[in-house]
């Protein structure tokens, strides 16, 4: 059986950034208006006054300093608190496909490939724009790729799960090369009015080319192994879905957007990820201290510090575990791929690295790589 390589990556970054100061200023204005509107009920003790957010809390609790978004104005409008994304006709390329095509073209160029060299497209992301046709098939058509395409969703872990599917296709010979894309418009699934989570997410798209050594025109990274695991948890949940209209539910629809028990997630997921990575390395007769770089999922800086400390029994340097969440926030499936895309070129041949993503499900995936 052939080995598989990662030979190209791409990154689409939206044009608008929102700093924590801008975010908190609009959120606090929304809170002041809400409290003023409900002043009577608050005075009677019927409802509780809502608390303001703070830049200091956000940076200390998460490490996030800003996020990129598809639409800034709608999110920061205290009367709206939601991105404004114009609908497109069925004949126009959808916005998520457009993001994916931009990232994919970069990845193809880096790998020295054209559409004719690709046999499959996998769209691995947290949220798809519609039920069907699959977003991956729209991207396949826009790029002029023959072969097959399908969508898959394992929330924040989607990219590593997608890389394993691409690796399997390349290894078993059903594709010479696969394009794996991770378009995320997290801003449309986030309740920007909820102070517990309003700062967490950003929008972005990443792309990865997985192919065989026999077709590769660049050296790239050899995929030494992939390992996936899932364990059911309700601590990160979003109940939006096609059955919603059958439920006759009115009133509080908060559960139709992203919800989480952040502290529980932090406590339960960190040990899970550290053990997963350690056992994956052990299975390949490797140890964490032989890994030059950890491209971890970018949800929370404290989580990444804890995971690498457990693995290395000391603090990792920023060179060993690059941080991109300060600029991009949590971009769900794309986070670990952004870290890889921006921080892999300086490593020399023979270097070992690991991409690991984790999140809702719970789910955790790891991809162990060696630079060629
Ligand atoms: N400003 C000021 N104070 C605040 C704020 C705020 N914005 N928010 C909360 N507080 C207060 C709380 O009310 C609390 O006050 P008190 O102590 O009086 O009760 C205090 O601050 C501490 O609150 P927490 O315990 O909640 O704070 P934490 O230190 O736990 O930090 C985090 C909160 C940052 C959310 C942290 O728990 C975390 O990052 N956890 C891990 C989360 C994670 O990794 N989740 C993964 C989700 S992503 C995923 O899987 C993909 C989903 C699909 C994507 C969907 C797109 C939208």
């Amino acid at each position: 059986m052939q080995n598989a390589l990662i030979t190209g990556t791409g990154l689409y970054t939206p044009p608008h950034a929102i700093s924590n100061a801008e975010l908190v200023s609009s959120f606090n204005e929304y809170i002041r208006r809400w409290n003023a509107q409900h002043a009577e009920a608050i005075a009677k003790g019927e409802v509780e006054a809502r608390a303001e957010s703070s830049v200091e809390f956000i940076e200390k609790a998460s490490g996030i300093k800003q996020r990129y978004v598809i639409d800034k104005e709608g999110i920061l409008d205290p009367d709206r608190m939601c991105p404004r994304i114009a609908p497109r006709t069925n004949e126009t390329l959808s916005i998520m496909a457009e993001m994916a095509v931009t990232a994919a073209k970069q990845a193809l160029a880096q790998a020295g490939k054209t559409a004719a060299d690709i046999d499959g497209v996998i769209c691995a992301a947290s949220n798809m724009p519609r039920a069907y046709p699959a977003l991956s098939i729209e991207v396949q058509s826009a790029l002029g790729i023959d072969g097959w395409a399908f969508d898959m969703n394992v929330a924040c872990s989607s990219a590593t799960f997608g890389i394993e599917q691409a690796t399997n296709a390349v290894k078993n010979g059903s594709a010479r090369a696969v394009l794996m894309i991770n378009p995320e418009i997290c801003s449309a699934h986030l309740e920007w009015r909820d102070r517990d989570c309003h700062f967490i997410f950003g929008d972005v798209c990443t792309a990865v080319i997985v192919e065989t050594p026999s077709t590769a025109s660049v050296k790239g990274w050899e995929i030494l192994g992939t390992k996936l695991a899932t364990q059911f948890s309700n601590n990160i949940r979003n109940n939006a879905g096609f059955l919603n209209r059958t439920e006759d539910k009115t009133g509080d629809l908060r559960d139709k957007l992203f919800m989480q028990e952040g502290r529980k997630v932090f406590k339960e997921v960190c040990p899970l990820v550290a053990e997963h990575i350690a056992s994956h390395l052990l299975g390949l007769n490797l140890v964490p201290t032989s890994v030059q770089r950890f491209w971890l999922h970018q949800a929370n800086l404290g989580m990444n510090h804890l995971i690498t400390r457990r693995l290395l029994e000391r603090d990792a340097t920023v060179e060993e575990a690059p941080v991109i969440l300060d600029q991009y926030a949590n971009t769900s499936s794309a986070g670990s791929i952004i870290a890889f895309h921006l921080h892999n070129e300086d490593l020399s041949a023979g270097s070992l690295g690991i991409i690991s993503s984790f999140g809702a499900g719970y789910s955790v995936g790891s991809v162990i790589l060696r630079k060629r």
Side-chain angles (χ1 to χ4, degrees):
M1 205 179 267
Q2 302 205 60
N3 283 347
L5 311 175
I6 291 180
T7 52
T9 53
L11 168 64
Y12 164 80
T13 301
H16 313 289
I18 299 179
S19 69
N20 286 342
E22 289 173 302
L23 185 72
V24 166
S25 161
S26 101
F27 179 85
N28 288 353
E29 176 56 27
Y30 160 76
I31 291 295
R32 281 191 288 274
R33 292 183 194 183
W34 192 92
N35 285 343
Q37 271 166 15
H38 298 85
E40 216 178 296
I42 292 169
K44 284 185 192 159
E46 289 165 7
V47 291
E48 267 190 45
R50 293 205 185 159
E52 294 190 1
S53 184
S54 86
V55 170
E56 297 68 34
F57 171 84
I58 294 171
E59 294 193 6
K60 190 161 172 276
S62 70
I64 296 164
K65 295 188 172 140
Q66 65 159 41
R67 70 285 299 140
Y68 290 98
V69 290
I70 293 293
D71 174 61
K72 179 171 178 170
E73 220 180 299
I75 291 169
L76 292 184
D77 177 353
D79 288 328
R80 182 177 172 91
M81 308 287 275
C82 172
R84 184 175 278 106
I85 302 172
R88 297 183 180 188
T89 65
N90 289 356
E91 288 67 42
T92 313
L93 192 68
S94 70
I95 187 162
M96 288 179 73
E98 192 174 276
M99 295 160 69
V101 164
T102 305
K105 282 182 176 168
Q106 285 178 28
L108 287 166
Q110 198 181 87
K113 292 264 161 300
T114 67
D117 302 315
I118 306 294
D119 292 329
V121 180
I122 298 173
C123 176
S126 288
N127 292 285
M128 301 305 164
R130 57 178 181 255
Y132 38 80
L135 185 63
S136 54
I137 304 177
E138 189 184 0
V139 173
Q140 176 194 13
S141 160
L143 289 168
I145 292 171
D146 290 333
W148 47 263
F150 65 87
D151 292 356
M152 52 173 281
N153 174 3
V154 203
C156 288
S157 300
S158 298
T160 49
F161 279 60
I163 289 172
E164 176 164 302
Q165 306 324 305
T167 303
N168 290 344
V170 158
K171 280 187 163 181
N172 73 25
S174 68
R176 293 163 298 159
V178 174
L179 165 68
M180 198 271 309
I181 46 174
N182 321 106
E184 296 285 8
I185 305 188
C186 298
S187 63
H189 299 273
L190 180 59
E191 178 49 276
W192 295 90
R193 298 179 181 89
D194 182 343
R195 113 178 155 135
D196 287 345
C197 64
H198 78 115
F199 53 89
I200 292 181
F201 290 101
D203 304 333
V204 84
C205 181
T206 47
V208 176
I209 304 290
V210 175
E211 64 173 309
T212 57
S214 58
T215 60
S217 52
V218 299
K219 287 193 170 167
W221 288 81
E222 184 183 0
I223 299 171
L224 298 182
T226 57
K227 184 177 162 93
L228 315 176
T230 47
Q231 180 184 302
F232 188 69
S233 167
N234 279 318
N235 288 332
I236 313 169
R237 193 164 174 124
N238 180 336
N239 284 332
F242 78 101
L243 290 177
N244 291 165
R245 67 191 284 265
T246 68
E247 292 163 358
D248 296 331
K249 194 178 170 193
T250 52
D252 181 18
L253 300 177
R254 178 65 189 86
D255 70 322
K256 306 298 184 285
L257 294 171
F258 168 84
M259 294 186 74
Q260 75 166 353
E261 296 279 348
R263 194 122 286 271
K264 283 190 191 162
V265 173
F266 194 114
K267 276 195 189 146
E268 292 170 9
V269 169
C270 288
L272 206 66
V273 176
E275 281 158 31
H276 179 96
I277 291 176
S279 76
H280 189 188
L281 288 165
L282 193 63
L284 293 172
N285 291 319
L286 297 167
V287 288
T289 47
S290 62
V291 176
Q292 272 79 44
R293 197 145 294 169
F294 296 86
W295 299 285
L296 299 181
H297 174 49
Q298 305 278 318
N300 180 295
L301 193 54
M303 282 177 103
N304 290 9
H305 286 163
L306 198 59
I307 290 164
T308 44
R309 202 175 298 136
R310 273 183 180 240
L311 286 166
L312 299 172
E313 295 175 359
R314 61 169 171 80
D315 290 336
T317 64
V318 283
E319 286 75 29
E320 289 170 319
V323 178
I324 59 92
L325 67 82
D326 55 341
Q327 298 302 303
Y328 282 86
N330 183 344
T331 51
S332 195
S333 64
S336 57
I337 306 299
I338 304 174
F340 176 74
H341 175 78
L342 296 176
H343 299 281
N344 78 75
E345 278 181 5
D346 59 308
L347 292 170
S348 49
S351 296
L352 287 175
I354 182 159
I355 299 175
S356 180
S357 55
F358 38 88
Y362 294 136
S363 54
V364 49
S366 49
V367 179
I368 300 178
L369 299 170
R370 181 167 53 212
K371 189 149 189 176
R372 297 212 305 159

